Amino acid sequence: MGGGYGGGEAEGRRFAVLLCAEDSEYVKKVHGGYFKVFVSLLGEEGETWHVYRAACGELPPAEDVDSYDGFVISGSCSDAHGDDQWIRDLLSLLEALVSKKKQLLGVCFGHQILSRALGGKIGRAKRGWDLGVTCIHPSHSTIKQFSSLHIPSHLPVIECHRDEVWELPPNAEVMAESEKTGIEMFRYSNHVMGIQGHPEYTTDILIHLIDRLLQLNLIQNCHAETAKASAEAGEPNREAWKKLCKAFLKNQL
C-alpha cells in the first residue's frame, strides 16, 4: 500500500496519486516529494490521500480500487508511448478505471497515457520541447462548461515535455490549445481529463528541472535560457488551475 495523508479512513472522500516519476532529491528536500506537491494543490481537510509508486510497479490492488473517488496520474521521465512492463500494467489499470467511471485527472505523462488508454495517438512533439511558462487557450465551449469557475481565456501554466497527444481518443474533445501544442487539454465524458502542462509545479521546481535537463544534455543552453526567461516574465495562474482541477477531480462541475 502506498503512503497515506489526511483524515481518518472513514472520513470524507478518498483519492490516490499514481506517481509515474521518481522523486528528485531537490523536490524531496524542499517540497517533501511530488505526492505532497499534488496534495497541496488538490487536497482538502477531511479527505484521505494515498500514493502508489506506479513507476516502481506499485498499483492499487483490484479490491481497493472501488474505495477511491478519484485518481491523479502524474508526469514522468518515461515515454507514455513506451512498452515497459509498468506502463503496460498502468494502461490495464486505467482501462479498468475508465470502465468504472472513476474521476481521472492526468498531468503531462498522465495526460498522454490516458489518451493512449482510450485509443488516442501519442508520440514525440512535432515542434520539440515545450519548457517554461506557456499560455494556453481554453476553447469557448470549455469556458462555457466551466462558467461557474470563471476560467480565463489566457491561462499560463508550467510546461516540461517533449511528447504530446497527436490524435484525440474517439469521443474525446479538445479543451485547450497553445501556439506549440494542438491538444493542451482534453476531456472524455465527465470523468476523464488530461492536462499537458503541470498545474502542480511551482516556479522553483521548473528552474530545478531545467538545470537537470541541461546537465543530462537533453536540452541546449539556448532552450534553458528561453525557458528561464519565460518563468521570469510570467507566473502560472495557480489559483485558476487549482479551482479547475479540484472541481473536476471532485466532480463538482
Side-chain angles (χ1 to χ4, degrees):
M1 170 65 116
Y5 177 99
E9 289 296 304
E11 183 191 342
R13 286 167 299 179
R14 289 163 55 85
F15 299 95
V17 175
L18 306 178
L19 197 63
C20 303
E22 297 289 324
D23 282 322
S24 71
E25 286 308 313
Y26 174 83
V27 172
K28 266 196 285 198
K29 195 169 88 181
V30 177
H31 296 277
Y34 284 122
F35 172 58
K36 287 201 170 161
V37 173
F38 273 108
V39 174
S40 76
L41 181 77
L42 300 167
E44 288 174 288
E45 203 60 48
E47 294 171 350
T48 300
W49 282 76
H50 289 123
V51 60
Y52 292 93
R53 297 186 182 275
C56 303
E58 184 183 86
L59 292 172
E63 63 273 17
D64 286 355
V65 161
D66 285 334
S67 71
Y68 289 102
D69 296 281
F71 295 83
V72 179
I73 305 97
S74 82
S76 179
C77 297
S78 302
D79 297 329
H81 49 87
D83 275 315
D84 303 3
Q85 188 57 51
W86 75 268
I87 290 177
R88 290 207 299 271
D89 293 344
L90 178 59
L91 282 165
S92 300
L93 172 66
L94 294 177
E95 286 161 12
L97 295 177
V98 168
S99 69
K100 288 174 181 286
K101 293 190 162 48
K102 293 290 178 184
Q103 292 301 115
L104 302 177
L105 175 66
V107 168
C108 199
F109 170 94
H111 159 84
Q112 296 157 16
I113 201 89
L114 275 173
S115 176
R116 180 178 172 185
L118 290 163
K121 290 189 179 154
I122 59 175
R124 283 280 185 260
K126 308 237 183 333
R127 300 178 69 182
W129 278 97
D130 192 359
L131 195 54
V133 177
T134 296
C135 194
I136 75 160
H137 308 290
S139 67
H140 292 302
S141 66
T142 297
I143 290 169
K144 211 165 151 187
Q145 279 168 345
F146 297 95
S147 59
S148 62
L149 303 177
H150 307 292
I151 299 300
S153 56
H154 299 276
L155 194 50
V157 68
I158 289 171
E159 304 258 8
C160 183
H161 66 100
R162 61 172 173 176
D163 293 343
E164 66 183 359
V165 175
W166 286 349
E167 204 175 286
L168 274 183
N171 304 315
E173 64 168 302
V174 177
M175 292 176 65
E177 59 179 30
S178 68
E179 281 176 33
K180 212 167 194 177
T181 306
I183 304 172
E184 282 283 1
M185 292 176 69
F186 81 90
R187 189 173 176 198
Y188 172 83
S189 188
N190 289 322
H191 61 282
V192 180
M193 186 164 82
I195 301 169
Q196 182 56 75
H198 283 276
E200 81 284 14
Y201 277 4
T202 50
T203 306
D204 67 294
I205 293 176
L206 170 66
I207 301 297
H208 166 72
L209 276 171
I210 293 166
D211 290 338
R212 272 181 72 199
L213 291 169
L214 200 52
Q215 283 167 2
L216 294 166
N217 292 321
L218 287 168
I219 58 170
Q220 295 169 328
N221 261 316
C222 58
H223 285 138
E225 283 162 21
T226 306
K228 285 182 179 178
S230 76
E232 283 162 20
E235 284 281 313
N237 188 339
R238 196 172 165 83
E239 279 313 300
W241 283 109
K242 192 172 191 161
K243 279 196 298 189
L244 176 57
C245 293
K246 279 168 86 164
F248 176 79
L249 187 64
K250 293 159 196 197
N251 206 7
Q252 292 165 345
L253 293 165

